[in-house]
Amino acid sequence: HGQTNPVPQIIHHLIQVHDLPEDEVKERLARLFEPRGLSDTEINAIFRTISGGLESGFHWAHMEMAAELLSIFARERPVLLWCEDAHYSAKVLGLVRSIVRESETIGPICCVLTLRNELLEHGSEAATVFEEIAADERFEWMDLGPMSAQEHRRLVRELLVLDEDLAARAASRTQGN
């Protein structure tokens, strides 16, 4: 939470190149993007951004790369980007803002954010970006209150298909999370 930037993790998850040697990353990118119509020049640009921009502090490169990758995948089918606890990362909120700004050209991407707006520090970068997103009419918002302990136990029991005792212990251990 806080200072970390999860966008490089999103990118690595999308293209599954985390901890691969350089030659395997190049092969993976070619296998992934040549069938999608990307040229060698475009694939090499993605490689350079992954090998340089993600390990550096170039947050703009993270946003550009993540938005471009999501756009590539959205050409084939709708994409769901689920951002849990988005209040912890102005970078993730910035990525969502970038996607929304480019939504006319980027393709069908549905962004689902879970966040606790009471945890956004007034005047922080995350709060500012959130306010921009919240003002955009393309977003729909649902305010959800916390579940009761009984509702939480029921959710755990039914979701995980557990007996009453085990569901109660799991619900107690997770404390609503």
Side-chain angles (χ1 to χ4, degrees), residues 87-142:
H87 53 273
Y88 288 120
S89 177
K91 305 302 181 227
V92 166
L93 291 169
L95 173 62
V96 170
R97 179 183 56 194
S98 296
I99 290 168
V100 170
R101 284 182 178 166
E102 301 295 322
S103 64
E104 308 262 326
T105 59
I106 204 168
I109 299 175
C110 177
C111 300
V112 176
L113 303 175
T114 64
L115 62 88
R116 294 178 54 189
N117 50 349
E118 74 273 11
L119 293 182
L120 290 169
E121 291 182 35
H122 182 69
S124 69
E125 180 184 1
T128 302
V129 175
F130 172 71
E131 288 167 8
E132 289 178 34
I133 293 170
D136 192 305
E137 63 188 34
R138 292 172 285 190
F139 275 89
E140 298 222 7
W141 297 99
M142 291 186 292

Side-chain angles (χ1 to χ4, degrees), residues 14-15 22 83:
L14 282 170
I15 57 178
E22 187 175 294
C83 305

Side-chain angles (χ1 to χ4, degrees), residues 36 41-42 45 72 84 96 128 151:
R36 291 177 165 92
T41 303
E42 292 168 313
I72 290 167
E84 186 78 23
V96 170
T128 302
E151 291 168 325

Side-chain angles (χ1 to χ4, degrees), residues 70 73-81 107-110:
L70 289 166
F73 289 114
R75 290 179 204 154
E76 297 174 7
R77 64 178 185 265
V79 172
L80 172 65
L81 177 63
I109 299 175
C110 177

